[in-house]
Amino acid sequence: MAEPATLPSSPVVRVEREGPVALVTLWRPEARNALNAELRRDLPQVLAALDADGEVGAIVLTGADPAFCAGLDLKELGAGQHRLGQTLGAGARRLGSGPVPDLQTPLIGAVNGPAVTGGLELALHCDLLVASERARFADTHARVGVQPGWGLTVLLAEAVGRRRALEMSMTGRFVDAECALAWGLVNAVVPHGELLPSALALAREIAEVPRASLRRLRATYRRQWAVADGAGLQLEAEVAAAWAQGPEASPEAVEARREALVARGRAQAASGSGAEGAAEGGRAGRRAE
């Protein structure tokens, strides 16, 4: 694979090319690919540049192990470097105005590990999702004390249904890869070592389809979804913007909840309850179907 020379240079987004397929990797492994200001700026620019490249027929998005994306960089927010309102910007008032620009090129998410909160929203903006057996999904907006602003309340409910979406959002529980497949959140689950080969093979198959007809068909899907989702996305963006101006979204409040969330995660890891709860939740979901 070779990096295209025309792309914006970024230390936190790596791009490789294999014929008509581009592989984009979030590259902040030490921070579990959390979305700091630099990554939130560079990722849309890189994706837009690839979309404008007539030689690119499909894009695969993944994260540097061990995580896909841990969501917003709460450490950065808690330090007061950016207010939450500045971070969310205008929110996802329409498809293509959240963390992923309005692309014509199909975008496949290769979820290699945890996709949490803003990372889950990033995954939901992909057209297709292939998950590693190590993938886990969670929405911890409520536990952190922030409101989703990138379309989660619309896109997650569409993917898994209203009640399962509410369960994820109100508990913050992790959903494992097999449960995500059963719920319709992902298209496929593969062994971790086969994740990128599988996602790239899918991308090559898509890139073989005549470009004009493929883009027109995808655009028709998205225009229909935009009509159906527009009011919900607008409402979510308005709620998120108003919440971001209040005391609950102050850097001090975010930092306090971040520390509590980290402590909760460490306690679960030490006891094994987090992994057992996620697995049992997945089994219960499948038994109920």
Side-chain angles (χ1 to χ4, degrees):
M1 292 188 183
E3 183 177 355
T6 56
L7 287 178
S9 176
S10 172
V12 294
V13 182
R14 294 192 176 184
V15 180
E16 298 169 278
R17 288 280 294 275
E18 185 180 85
V21 173
L23 173 63
V24 177
T25 305
L26 309 179
W27 200 264
R28 296 190 70 217
E30 75 290 346
R32 301 177 72 80
N33 304 314
L35 298 165
N36 66 349
E38 187 177 26
L39 186 48
R40 294 194 307 273
R41 179 197 66 207
D42 290 357
L43 178 60
Q45 292 178 0
V46 168
L47 292 175
L50 289 169
D51 192 48
D53 187 335
E55 298 300 316
V56 176
I59 303 170
V60 174
L61 176 65
T62 193
D65 279 341
F68 177 73
C69 177
L72 287 177
D73 191 330
L74 297 180
K75 190 172 184 180
E76 180 183 75
L77 291 177
Q81 298 176 35
H82 298 274
R83 281 284 301 190
L84 189 59
Q86 297 171 326
T87 297
L88 293 176
R93 296 177 184 271
R94 57 180 176 80
L95 290 175
S97 60
V100 175
D102 192 6
L103 304 175
Q104 297 185 71
T105 308
L107 181 63
I108 300 165
V111 186
N112 56 302
V116 183
T117 312
L120 173 58
E121 288 182 292
L122 183 60
L124 287 168
H125 278 270
C126 295
D127 296 308
L128 306 175
L129 289 174
V130 180
S132 157
E133 61 196 347
R134 300 180 189 175
R136 297 193 301 157
F137 304 85
D139 175 28
T140 60
H141 278 98
R143 287 192 177 275
V144 175
V146 300
Q147 296 297 307
W150 289 339
L152 180 132
T153 58
V154 174
L155 300 177
L156 182 60
E158 287 181 347
V160 303
R162 292 181 182 179
R163 287 174 178 80
R164 285 168 173 166
L166 277 170
E167 180 182 354
M168 290 181 68
S169 293
M170 292 195 296
T171 64
R173 291 177 185 165
F174 278 89
V175 170
D176 65 22
E178 289 299 331
C179 181
L181 179 62
W183 283 7
L185 182 56
V186 303
N187 295 84
V189 176
V190 299
H192 188 72
E194 298 176 16
L195 176 63
L196 286 183
S198 297
L200 290 169
L202 178 59
R204 285 192 295 271
E205 185 176 358
I206 291 171
E208 292 173 356
V209 178
R211 195 73 46 84
S213 61
L214 175 65
R215 289 187 169 189
R216 173 56 64 188
L217 181 58
R218 179 179 177 274
T220 303
Y221 271 109
R222 291 179 64 82
R223 286 180 64 185
Q224 292 188 48
W225 295 337
V227 171
D229 298 344
L233 293 170
Q234 177 71 26
L235 175 61
E236 181 188 275
E238 291 173 356
V239 171
W243 180 266
Q245 302 306 314
E248 293 295 324
S250 69
E252 297 77 15
V254 170
E255 176 60 16
R257 287 189 294 268
R258 183 189 73 84
E259 292 178 353
L261 197 62
V262 169
R264 177 176 180 268
R266 287 173 177 166
Q268 286 184 338
S271 66
S273 62
E276 292 168 4
E280 180 57 32
R283 288 191 291 269
R286 290 192 290 276
R287 284 197 299 267
E289 293 186 339

